[in-house]
Amino acid sequence: MSGERGSGGGSRIPSSRLGRLYHMGRATGDLALGVGLRQLIERARDREATGPVQLSPERARRFTERLGQMRGAVMKMGQLMSMDGADLLSPEVADIMGALRQGAEPMPLSQLDSVLKREYGRRWQERFRRFDFTPIAAASIGQVHYAEAPDGRALALKIQFPGVRESIDSDLGNLRFLVRSFGVVPEGVDVEGMLAEAHRELHQEADYAAEADALEAYAEALGEDPDLTVPRVQREFCTPRILAMDYAEGIPIHRLAEEAFSQAERDRAAGLLSRLNLRELFELGLVQTDPNFGNYLYQPESGRIVLLDFGATHTVGGELVAAYRRMGRAARDGDRQGLRESAAALGYIDAGTSEAEVEALLELLEMTSEPLRQAGAYDFGASGLFERVYYRGRAMFLDQQFSRAPAPETLFLHRKFMGTFMLCRRLRARVDIAALMAEHLGEGGEASYT
């Protein structure tokens, strides 16, 4: 729902399983040819590999364009791949892959008109005083249009791409086929479990009625906040394939990294979202788990942040919250035994986990919690923590030191934590994580992000 508007034209979305497999195969082929198939597989398996992947910018562009044309589950996976590749890809390739976060190709006007007629009826234009055919944004599941109600209310209409919900199962089946064909996943990894979680979440994101309910529940839980705002649902314009809400002006949050914005603005925005991430877990018990940077808009004049996209919203149970609170205290205090007990409570380890695996996991957790142990603001822009965690975690993964997967309900939390970390890093922000955490560990303390 940003103010940056894209093209009104676009390519039709492939809907048949064979058609989508063809496009996915072409995208994978572009990636493999860009890196070299043998090098791609060897790098995926090489625990010692470091430094940027050498991928041709032209091949990266083709790969990105194909995922954008397909939309749906395949594009969603590509967005997660591109969350922050600045240190794993060359700068040129990272910029190209980053286009997946900015949006998909919009659907052609003829296809858009067909969707609107199906949802609102043949004379759908009469429902609005104004409807902009040029989309504000286009993402993996749908695209957003500006409209005005007869009484002048400014609306954002999130319109689902045709066939996307129906293609989720076939897309994941195609991904399963390609993963097995490339053979890049180490033996023993529960690919089926990962795909099952992706299946559940993607179907949830395609359920616009559930998202409307989640948006209202989140706004109520958040309450009045001078720095954060959530658009209101406009129920009379909602359908099973269209989510209508208040229109909100703003720029994508990642643009705060541009020179036009000050360090103080970047620090404040990153601090607000870091604090919100912790409030979601420890206070609200309701987490918006999609870490895409496009889900946050920044309003430069007021300094407020608009929160968008609640398709991947999850409730968090009290036992899980208590386990994370124990882990936070143990990580901050250097309490190795407490860290071990909380890791067991979260399902990272059990009685059958070897002592070597336990030690490796505890070392990784201690490394990951580095910002929590630093007094004062942690400088994400100057930190190499992301690279250290990435390469250490990959080496453990390839050595099959993760003998069991954590509880499925923790996976979405890990993704949100990592997304917030990467946003702080993208903004080169300085945030007092220790003080923010102290608010939720029963220790008191005041946080500053102004």
Side-chain angles (χ1 to χ4, degrees):
M1 287 185 293
S2 77
E4 299 182 342
R5 307 200 175 189
S7 168
S11 61
R12 293 188 69 84
I13 303 170
S15 56
S16 71
R17 176 164 186 173
L18 287 177
R20 295 183 72 80
L21 178 59
Y22 169 77
H23 279 272
M24 191 188 301
R26 291 288 300 273
T28 306
D30 286 327
L31 181 63
L33 288 172
V35 179
L37 179 57
R38 181 178 298 276
Q39 294 178 30
L40 185 67
I41 295 175
E42 288 178 351
R43 183 179 180 89
R45 291 175 169 170
D46 184 3
R47 61 186 56 81
E48 302 298 331
T50 60
V53 173
Q54 298 303 313
L55 174 62
S56 157
E58 178 58 30
R59 292 291 178 179
R61 184 174 292 104
R62 292 185 188 178
F63 176 73
T64 301
E65 288 174 352
R66 287 198 178 276
L67 294 190
Q69 290 170 4
M70 290 185 71
R71 294 80 153 185
V74 175
M75 183 181 170
K76 177 64 85 173
M77 297 298 185
Q79 287 176 336
L80 294 177
M81 288 170 55
S82 68
M83 280 299 295
D84 193 343
D87 301 287
L88 307 179
L89 303 169
S90 69
E92 298 84 0
V93 170
D95 286 342
I96 293 167
M97 287 288 287
L100 287 171
R101 296 193 306 274
Q102 309 313 312
E105 247 188 276
M107 64 181 118
L109 293 180
S110 59
Q111 202 168 30
L112 171 63
D113 183 61
S114 296
V115 173
L116 290 166
K117 285 178 178 176
R118 184 187 67 213
E119 298 301 311
Y120 288 141
R122 296 188 61 83
R123 301 172 67 177
W124 65 266
Q125 296 96 328
E126 296 178 2
R127 296 181 64 110
F128 304 101
R129 186 167 77 179
R130 171 182 169 185
F131 182 92
D132 284 4
F133 284 92
T134 300
I136 300 166
S140 57
I141 302 295
Q143 62 189 46
V144 183
H145 288 260
Y146 175 83
E148 291 179 5
D151 61 6
R153 278 174 293 161
L155 306 173
L157 303 180
K158 185 176 177 181
I159 303 172
Q160 192 168 119
F161 291 132
V164 160
R165 183 185 297 182
E166 294 77 10
S167 70
I168 290 172
D169 292 352
S170 63
D171 277 358
L172 292 176
N174 290 338
L175 281 169
R176 180 185 292 107
F177 169 76
L178 290 172
V179 165
R180 288 175 174 172
S181 298
F182 271 98
V184 298
V185 177
E187 183 179 352
V189 172
D190 182 17
V191 175
E192 293 302 319
M194 295 166 59
L195 290 174
E197 177 66 16
H199 176 274
R200 184 198 60 74
E201 184 152 312
L202 285 163
H203 274 288
Q204 177 184 344
E205 291 189 37
D207 186 345
Y208 281 3
E211 181 174 354
D213 292 341
L215 197 160
E216 291 181 333
Y218 190 97
E220 182 177 356
L222 182 66
E224 293 295 326
D225 191 302
D227 301 306
L228 306 171
T229 184
V230 179
R232 292 175 302 171
V233 177
Q234 298 294 335
R235 291 281 182 177
E236 65 266 44
F237 296 100
C238 291
T239 77
R241 309 281 175 153
I242 298 178
L243 175 60
M245 67 198 87
D246 290 341
Y247 172 76
E249 293 279 0
I251 63 172
I253 194 76
H254 69 268
R255 285 190 51 192
L256 284 173
E258 298 173 0
E259 292 184 2
F261 297 95
S262 68
Q263 181 71 51
E265 287 176 291
R266 294 197 297 273
D267 293 347
R268 178 179 174 275
L272 287 171
L273 291 177
S274 297
R275 182 175 184 269
L276 176 63
N277 196 167
L278 296 173
R279 279 193 68 199
E280 287 179 329
L281 173 61
F282 293 111
E283 180 183 332
L284 307 183
L286 191 64
V287 182
Q288 189 283 90
T289 65
D290 187 346
N292 194 320
F293 300 162
N295 292 338
Y296 307 106
L297 297 181
Y298 182 71
Q299 299 177 329
E301 292 185 3
S302 66
R304 299 189 83 189
I305 297 174
V306 183
L307 310 178
L308 304 175
D309 200 337
F310 292 85
T313 303
H314 295 261
T315 57
V316 186
E319 290 186 5
L320 200 61
V321 173
Y324 274 107
R325 183 173 283 114
R326 290 196 300 272
M327 177 172 281
R329 288 172 178 162
R332 179 200 59 192
D333 300 337
D335 178 3
R336 180 62 80 92
Q337 182 59 33
L339 198 60
R340 181 173 185 146
E341 291 171 358
S342 56
L346 290 168
Y348 300 159
I349 58 177
D350 61 16
T353 307
S354 73
E355 195 59 32
E357 290 175 345
V358 171
E359 287 300 311
L361 176 63
L362 295 180
E363 288 176 5
L364 182 62
L365 291 173
E366 289 172 337
M367 180 188 296
T368 304
S369 59
E370 177 180 288
L372 182 58
R373 293 190 300 276
Q374 176 168 314
Y378 186 84
D379 191 339
F380 285 89
S383 171
L385 180 60
F386 176 83
E387 293 80 7
R388 285 182 278 133
V389 170
Y390 173 82
Y391 290 116
R392 175 71 68 84
R394 188 181 67 169
M396 292 173 62
F397 180 74
L398 294 172
D399 282 335
Q400 298 184 33
Q401 292 185 12
F402 294 117
S403 60
R404 56 180 280 119
E409 59 267 26
T410 69
L411 296 178
F412 64 85
L413 288 172
H414 299 168
R415 186 176 71 168
K416 180 63 178 284
F417 294 151
M418 183 57 70
T420 302
F421 176 94
M422 289 190 292
L423 179 58
C424 291
R425 183 167 172 270
R426 172 62 63 88
L427 298 183
R428 306 183 305 281
R430 299 172 300 197
V431 182
D432 192 340
I433 298 296
L436 290 174
M437 276 293 290
E439 296 180 13
H440 302 283
L441 299 183
E443 308 292 335
E446 296 294 333
S448 175
Y449 32 86
T450 57

mmCIF file of all heavy atoms in Angstrom, residues 80 83-84 277 289-293 364 368 380 385-387 389-390 411-426:
data_model
loop_
_atom_site.group_PDB
_atom_site.id
_atom_site.type_symbol
_atom_site.label_atom_id
_atom_site.label_comp_id
_atom_site.label_asym_id
_atom_site.label_seq_id
_atom_site.Cartn_x
_atom_site.Cartn_y
_atom_site.Cartn_z
ATOM 1 N N LEU A 80 11.972 -15.042 0.346
ATOM 2 C CA LEU A 80 12.718 -15.429 1.540
ATOM 3 C C LEU A 80 14.192 -15.611 1.213
ATOM 4 O O LEU A 80 15.063 -15.280 2.006
ATOM 5 C CB LEU A 80 12.132 -16.714 2.138
ATOM 6 C CG LEU A 80 10.710 -16.579 2.692
ATOM 7 C CD1 LEU A 80 10.203 -17.928 3.184
ATOM 8 C CD2 LEU A 80 10.646 -15.557 3.816
ATOM 9 N N MET A 83 15.969 -12.090 1.162
ATOM 10 C CA MET A 83 15.777 -11.160 2.264
ATOM 11 C C MET A 83 16.990 -10.277 2.509
ATOM 12 O O MET A 83 16.888 -9.093 2.751
ATOM 13 C CB MET A 83 15.424 -11.914 3.546
ATOM 14 C CG MET A 83 13.976 -12.342 3.633
ATOM 15 S SD MET A 83 12.834 -10.953 3.591
ATOM 16 C CE MET A 83 13.255 -10.105 5.103
ATOM 17 N N ASP A 84 18.167 -10.854 2.467
ATOM 18 C CA ASP A 84 19.370 -10.033 2.612
ATOM 19 C C ASP A 84 20.548 -10.842 2.093
ATOM 20 O O ASP A 84 21.232 -11.510 2.856
ATOM 21 C CB ASP A 84 19.611 -9.628 4.060
ATOM 22 C CG ASP A 84 20.663 -8.525 4.161
ATOM 23 O OD1 ASP A 84 21.398 -8.339 3.169
ATOM 24 O OD2 ASP A 84 20.750 -7.870 5.191
ATOM 25 N N ASN A 277 8.629 -6.421 17.913
ATOM 26 C CA ASN A 277 8.890 -7.859 17.785
ATOM 27 C C ASN A 277 8.853 -8.539 19.155
ATOM 28 O O ASN A 277 8.254 -9.606 19.338
ATOM 29 C CB ASN A 277 10.258 -8.050 17.134
ATOM 30 C CG ASN A 277 10.489 -9.450 16.599
ATOM 31 O OD1 ASN A 277 11.430 -9.682 15.854
ATOM 32 N ND2 ASN A 277 9.671 -10.403 16.977
ATOM 33 N N THR A 289 4.285 -12.884 11.331
ATOM 34 C CA THR A 289 5.537 -13.616 11.159
ATOM 35 C C THR A 289 6.215 -13.442 9.810
ATOM 36 O O THR A 289 7.276 -14.016 9.588
ATOM 37 C CB THR A 289 5.313 -15.122 11.374
ATOM 38 O OG1 THR A 289 4.449 -15.623 10.347
ATOM 39 C CG2 THR A 289 4.692 -15.382 12.741
ATOM 40 N N ASP A 290 5.622 -12.686 8.891
ATOM 41 C CA ASP A 290 6.241 -12.511 7.575
ATOM 42 C C ASP A 290 7.287 -11.404 7.674
ATOM 43 O O ASP A 290 6.945 -10.248 7.921
ATOM 44 C CB ASP A 290 5.183 -12.154 6.541
ATOM 45 C CG ASP A 290 5.727 -12.117 5.116
ATOM 46 O OD1 ASP A 290 6.961 -12.106 4.954
ATOM 47 O OD2 ASP A 290 4.920 -12.103 4.179
ATOM 48 N N PRO A 291 8.575 -11.709 7.474
ATOM 49 C CA PRO A 291 9.618 -10.699 7.681
ATOM 50 C C PRO A 291 9.881 -9.807 6.473
ATOM 51 O O PRO A 291 10.825 -9.025 6.485
ATOM 52 C CB PRO A 291 10.853 -11.568 7.974
ATOM 53 C CG PRO A 291 10.632 -12.799 7.141
ATOM 54 C CD PRO A 291 9.138 -13.041 7.168
ATOM 55 N N ASN A 292 9.076 -9.903 5.420
ATOM 56 C CA ASN A 292 9.308 -9.102 4.225
ATOM 57 C C ASN A 292 9.350 -7.613 4.579
ATOM 58 O O ASN A 292 8.441 -7.086 5.229
ATOM 59 C CB ASN A 292 8.185 -9.365 3.212
ATOM 60 C CG ASN A 292 8.520 -8.851 1.820
ATOM 61 O OD1 ASN A 292 9.091 -7.777 1.665
ATOM 62 N ND2 ASN A 292 8.167 -9.616 0.823
ATOM 63 N N PHE A 293 10.394 -6.919 4.129
ATOM 64 C CA PHE A 293 10.531 -5.499 4.431
ATOM 65 C C PHE A 293 9.348 -4.686 3.902
ATOM 66 O O PHE A 293 9.028 -3.624 4.436
ATOM 67 C CB PHE A 293 11.821 -4.939 3.824
ATOM 68 C CG PHE A 293 13.076 -5.593 4.331
ATOM 69 C CD1 PHE A 293 14.264 -5.468 3.619
ATOM 70 C CD2 PHE A 293 13.089 -6.338 5.497
ATOM 71 C CE1 PHE A 293 15.434 -6.059 4.071
ATOM 72 C CE2 PHE A 293 14.252 -6.937 5.956
ATOM 73 C CZ PHE A 293 15.428 -6.801 5.236
ATOM 74 N N LEU A 364 26.151 -22.017 19.245
ATOM 75 C CA LEU A 364 25.450 -21.240 18.227
ATOM 76 C C LEU A 364 24.444 -20.285 18.880
ATOM 77 O O LEU A 364 24.327 -19.124 18.472
ATOM 78 C CB LEU A 364 24.733 -22.181 17.257
ATOM 79 C CG LEU A 364 23.986 -21.508 16.096
ATOM 80 C CD1 LEU A 364 24.946 -20.739 15.198
ATOM 81 C CD2 LEU A 364 23.206 -22.540 15.283
ATOM 82 N N THR A 368 24.418 -16.240 18.628
ATOM 83 C CA THR A 368 23.251 -15.521 18.123
ATOM 84 C C THR A 368 22.788 -14.437 19.093
ATOM 85 O O THR A 368 22.286 -13.386 18.679
ATOM 86 C CB THR A 368 22.099 -16.511 17.870
ATOM 87 O OG1 THR A 368 22.546 -17.536 16.986
ATOM 88 C CG2 THR A 368 20.897 -15.824 17.255
ATOM 89 N N PHE A 380 24.373 -2.705 14.420
ATOM 90 C CA PHE A 380 24.119 -3.758 13.448
ATOM 91 C C PHE A 380 24.880 -3.527 12.145
ATOM 92 O O PHE A 380 25.269 -4.475 11.466
ATOM 93 C CB PHE A 380 22.620 -3.854 13.160
ATOM 94 C CG PHE A 380 21.840 -4.516 14.259
ATOM 95 C CD1 PHE A 380 21.318 -3.763 15.309
ATOM 96 C CD2 PHE A 380 21.618 -5.876 14.251
ATOM 97 C CE1 PHE A 380 20.592 -4.358 16.327
ATOM 98 C CE2 PHE A 380 20.896 -6.492 15.271
ATOM 99 C CZ PHE A 380 20.381 -5.732 16.309
ATOM 100 N N LEU A 385 27.964 -10.389 12.683
ATOM 101 C CA LEU A 385 27.275 -11.499 13.324
ATOM 102 C C LEU A 385 26.482 -12.338 12.322
ATOM 103 O O LEU A 385 26.457 -13.562 12.415
ATOM 104 C CB LEU A 385 26.347 -10.963 14.411
ATOM 105 C CG LEU A 385 25.537 -11.999 15.192
ATOM 106 C CD1 LEU A 385 26.451 -12.985 15.901
ATOM 107 C CD2 LEU A 385 24.605 -11.307 16.187
ATOM 108 N N PHE A 386 25.833 -11.689 11.370
ATOM 109 C CA PHE A 386 25.022 -12.437 10.407
ATOM 110 C C PHE A 386 25.859 -13.482 9.683
ATOM 111 O O PHE A 386 25.461 -14.643 9.559
ATOM 112 C CB PHE A 386 24.406 -11.471 9.393
ATOM 113 C CG PHE A 386 23.636 -12.162 8.293
ATOM 114 C CD1 PHE A 386 22.325 -12.552 8.484
ATOM 115 C CD2 PHE A 386 24.233 -12.411 7.063
ATOM 116 C CE1 PHE A 386 21.616 -13.192 7.470
ATOM 117 C CE2 PHE A 386 23.537 -13.044 6.048
ATOM 118 C CZ PHE A 386 22.224 -13.440 6.248
ATOM 119 N N GLU A 387 27.033 -13.073 9.204
ATOM 120 C CA GLU A 387 27.880 -14.013 8.469
ATOM 121 C C GLU A 387 28.363 -15.142 9.365
ATOM 122 O O GLU A 387 28.379 -16.311 8.968
ATOM 123 C CB GLU A 387 29.087 -13.275 7.867
ATOM 124 C CG GLU A 387 28.737 -12.275 6.784
ATOM 125 C CD GLU A 387 28.236 -10.953 7.346
ATOM 126 O OE1 GLU A 387 28.280 -10.759 8.580
ATOM 127 O OE2 GLU A 387 27.787 -10.105 6.551
ATOM 128 N N VAL A 389 26.952 -16.398 12.098
ATOM 129 C CA VAL A 389 25.857 -17.320 12.401
ATOM 130 C C VAL A 389 25.500 -18.147 11.182
ATOM 131 O O VAL A 389 25.279 -19.359 11.271
ATOM 132 C CB VAL A 389 24.621 -16.541 12.908
ATOM 133 C CG1 VAL A 389 23.401 -17.448 12.987
ATOM 134 C CG2 VAL A 389 24.908 -15.925 14.269
ATOM 135 N N TYR A 390 25.464 -17.495 10.025
ATOM 136 C CA TYR A 390 25.086 -18.208 8.790
ATOM 137 C C TYR A 390 26.051 -19.358 8.503
ATOM 138 O O TYR A 390 25.635 -20.499 8.280
ATOM 139 C CB TYR A 390 25.062 -17.239 7.610
ATOM 140 C CG TYR A 390 24.837 -17.919 6.274
ATOM 141 C CD1 TYR A 390 23.543 -18.257 5.861
ATOM 142 C CD2 TYR A 390 25.904 -18.239 5.454
ATOM 143 C CE1 TYR A 390 23.339 -18.893 4.659
ATOM 144 C CE2 TYR A 390 25.703 -18.877 4.244
ATOM 145 C CZ TYR A 390 24.420 -19.197 3.850
ATOM 146 O OH TYR A 390 24.225 -19.837 2.642
ATOM 147 N N LEU A 411 9.177 -22.306 14.385
ATOM 148 C CA LEU A 411 9.818 -21.952 13.123
ATOM 149 C C LEU A 411 9.438 -20.558 12.666
ATOM 150 O O LEU A 411 10.270 -19.794 12.181
ATOM 151 C CB LEU A 411 9.454 -22.988 12.046
ATOM 152 C CG LEU A 411 9.952 -24.417 12.303
ATOM 153 C CD1 LEU A 411 9.472 -25.343 11.192
ATOM 154 C CD2 LEU A 411 11.470 -24.446 12.405
ATOM 155 N N PHE A 412 8.143 -20.200 12.809
ATOM 156 C CA PHE A 412 7.715 -18.876 12.358
ATOM 157 C C PHE A 412 8.322 -17.783 13.228
ATOM 158 O O PHE A 412 8.588 -16.677 12.752
ATOM 159 C CB PHE A 412 6.192 -18.785 12.323
ATOM 160 C CG PHE A 412 5.502 -18.927 13.651
ATOM 161 C CD1 PHE A 412 5.339 -17.842 14.484
ATOM 162 C CD2 PHE A 412 4.995 -20.153 14.058
ATOM 163 C CE1 PHE A 412 4.687 -17.963 15.700
ATOM 164 C CE2 PHE A 412 4.335 -20.280 15.263
ATOM 165 C CZ PHE A 412 4.181 -19.180 16.093
ATOM 166 N N LEU A 413 8.565 -18.069 14.515
ATOM 167 C CA LEU A 413 9.194 -17.077 15.379
ATOM 168 C C LEU A 413 10.642 -16.841 14.976
ATOM 169 O O LEU A 413 11.117 -15.698 14.948
ATOM 170 C CB LEU A 413 9.128 -17.537 16.836
ATOM 171 C CG LEU A 413 7.755 -17.481 17.496
ATOM 172 C CD1 LEU A 413 7.798 -18.158 18.860
ATOM 173 C CD2 LEU A 413 7.271 -16.043 17.637
ATOM 174 N N HIS A 414 11.349 -17.919 14.639
ATOM 175 C CA HIS A 414 12.739 -17.776 14.196
ATOM 176 C C HIS A 414 12.808 -16.908 12.944
ATOM 177 O O HIS A 414 13.686 -16.061 12.793
ATOM 178 C CB HIS A 414 13.340 -19.150 13.904
ATOM 179 C CG HIS A 414 13.379 -20.052 15.098
ATOM 180 N ND1 HIS A 414 13.652 -21.397 15.003
ATOM 181 C CD2 HIS A 414 13.165 -19.805 16.416
ATOM 182 C CE1 HIS A 414 13.606 -21.939 16.214
ATOM 183 N NE2 HIS A 414 13.311 -20.994 17.080
ATOM 184 N N ARG A 415 11.869 -17.128 12.025
ATOM 185 C CA ARG A 415 11.860 -16.349 10.791
ATOM 186 C C ARG A 415 11.632 -14.870 11.084
ATOM 187 O O ARG A 415 12.270 -13.995 10.487
ATOM 188 C CB ARG A 415 10.767 -16.881 9.857
ATOM 189 C CG ARG A 415 10.781 -16.228 8.494
ATOM 190 C CD ARG A 415 9.759 -16.836 7.569
ATOM 191 N NE ARG A 415 8.397 -16.486 7.965
ATOM 192 C CZ ARG A 415 7.334 -16.691 7.206
ATOM 193 N NH1 ARG A 415 7.469 -17.284 6.036
ATOM 194 N NH2 ARG A 415 6.134 -16.349 7.616
ATOM 195 N N LYS A 416 10.725 -14.571 12.022
ATOM 196 C CA LYS A 416 10.453 -13.169 12.344
ATOM 197 C C LYS A 416 11.660 -12.528 13.027
ATOM 198 O O LYS A 416 12.042 -11.396 12.707
ATOM 199 C CB LYS A 416 9.227 -13.081 13.251
ATOM 200 C CG LYS A 416 8.845 -11.650 13.669
ATOM 201 C CD LYS A 416 8.471 -10.811 12.448
ATOM 202 C CE LYS A 416 8.038 -9.401 12.857
ATOM 203 N NZ LYS A 416 6.673 -9.380 13.422
ATOM 204 N N PHE A 417 12.288 -13.243 13.966
ATOM 205 C CA PHE A 417 13.472 -12.709 14.629
ATOM 206 C C PHE A 417 14.565 -12.396 13.610
ATOM 207 O O PHE A 417 15.197 -11.333 13.650
ATOM 208 C CB PHE A 417 14.009 -13.697 15.664
ATOM 209 C CG PHE A 417 13.098 -13.937 16.836
ATOM 210 C CD1 PHE A 417 13.113 -15.145 17.504
ATOM 211 C CD2 PHE A 417 12.230 -12.951 17.268
ATOM 212 C CE1 PHE A 417 12.277 -15.377 18.589
ATOM 213 C CE2 PHE A 417 11.378 -13.162 18.349
ATOM 214 C CZ PHE A 417 11.405 -14.389 19.010
ATOM 215 N N MET A 418 14.803 -13.334 12.697
ATOM 216 C CA MET A 418 15.843 -13.131 11.697
ATOM 217 C C MET A 418 15.492 -11.973 10.773
ATOM 218 O O MET A 418 16.361 -11.186 10.376
ATOM 219 C CB MET A 418 16.051 -14.410 10.885
ATOM 220 C CG MET A 418 17.173 -14.316 9.850
ATOM 221 S SD MET A 418 18.779 -13.857 10.569
ATOM 222 C CE MET A 418 19.178 -15.356 11.473
ATOM 223 N N GLY A 419 14.211 -11.852 10.418
ATOM 224 C CA GLY A 419 13.809 -10.751 9.557
ATOM 225 C C GLY A 419 14.043 -9.398 10.217
ATOM 226 O O GLY A 419 14.509 -8.457 9.567
ATOM 227 N N THR A 420 13.737 -9.290 11.502
ATOM 228 C CA THR A 420 13.966 -8.038 12.222
ATOM 229 C C THR A 420 15.457 -7.736 12.317
ATOM 230 O O THR A 420 15.893 -6.591 12.148
ATOM 231 C CB THR A 420 13.346 -8.113 13.628
ATOM 232 O OG1 THR A 420 11.951 -8.383 13.517
ATOM 233 C CG2 THR A 420 13.542 -6.802 14.386
ATOM 234 N N PHE A 421 16.256 -8.774 12.583
ATOM 235 C CA PHE A 421 17.708 -8.607 12.631
ATOM 236 C C PHE A 421 18.234 -8.081 11.295
ATOM 237 O O PHE A 421 19.046 -7.147 11.239
ATOM 238 C CB PHE A 421 18.359 -9.950 12.966
ATOM 239 C CG PHE A 421 19.863 -9.931 12.964
ATOM 240 C CD1 PHE A 421 20.561 -9.716 14.130
ATOM 241 C CD2 PHE A 421 20.582 -10.123 11.788
ATOM 242 C CE1 PHE A 421 21.951 -9.689 14.132
ATOM 243 C CE2 PHE A 421 21.964 -10.095 11.781
ATOM 244 C CZ PHE A 421 22.655 -9.884 12.948
ATOM 245 N N MET A 422 17.755 -8.673 10.190
ATOM 246 C CA MET A 422 18.246 -8.269 8.874
ATOM 247 C C MET A 422 17.794 -6.857 8.511
ATOM 248 O O MET A 422 18.512 -6.121 7.824
ATOM 249 C CB MET A 422 17.803 -9.275 7.819
ATOM 250 C CG MET A 422 18.537 -10.605 7.932
ATOM 251 S SD MET A 422 18.259 -11.724 6.531
ATOM 252 C CE MET A 422 16.539 -12.136 6.761
ATOM 253 N N LEU A 423 16.616 -6.449 8.986
ATOM 254 C CA LEU A 423 16.186 -5.081 8.732
ATOM 255 C C LEU A 423 17.076 -4.099 9.494
ATOM 256 O O LEU A 423 17.493 -3.076 8.932
ATOM 257 C CB LEU A 423 14.727 -4.900 9.155
ATOM 258 C CG LEU A 423 14.163 -3.493 8.971
ATOM 259 C CD1 LEU A 423 14.266 -3.055 7.515
ATOM 260 C CD2 LEU A 423 12.711 -3.432 9.447
ATOM 261 N N CYS A 424 17.381 -4.408 10.754
ATOM 262 C CA CYS A 424 18.306 -3.555 11.517
ATOM 263 C C CYS A 424 19.651 -3.454 10.803
ATOM 264 O O CYS A 424 20.269 -2.384 10.759
ATOM 265 C CB CYS A 424 18.503 -4.114 12.926
ATOM 266 S SG CYS A 424 17.053 -4.004 13.990
ATOM 267 N N ARG A 425 20.064 -4.550 10.252
ATOM 268 C CA ARG A 425 21.345 -4.585 9.543
ATOM 269 C C ARG A 425 21.284 -3.781 8.246
ATOM 270 O O ARG A 425 22.217 -3.047 7.909
ATOM 271 C CB ARG A 425 21.680 -6.046 9.260
ATOM 272 C CG ARG A 425 23.004 -6.326 8.592
ATOM 273 C CD ARG A 425 23.265 -7.816 8.695
ATOM 274 N NE ARG A 425 24.422 -8.211 7.926
ATOM 275 C CZ ARG A 425 24.366 -8.589 6.654
ATOM 276 N NH1 ARG A 425 23.201 -8.604 6.035
ATOM 277 N NH2 ARG A 425 25.455 -8.947 6.015
ATOM 278 N N ARG A 426 20.186 -3.929 7.517
ATOM 279 C CA ARG A 426 20.020 -3.169 6.276
ATOM 280 C C ARG A 426 20.033 -1.660 6.551
ATOM 281 O O ARG A 426 20.584 -0.882 5.768
ATOM 282 C CB ARG A 426 18.717 -3.585 5.601
ATOM 283 C CG ARG A 426 18.319 -2.723 4.397
ATOM 284 C CD ARG A 426 19.360 -2.801 3.283
ATOM 285 N NE ARG A 426 19.479 -4.130 2.773
ATOM 286 C CZ ARG A 426 18.742 -4.643 1.788
ATOM 287 N NH1 ARG A 426 17.806 -3.906 1.223
ATOM 288 N NH2 ARG A 426 18.948 -5.868 1.358
#
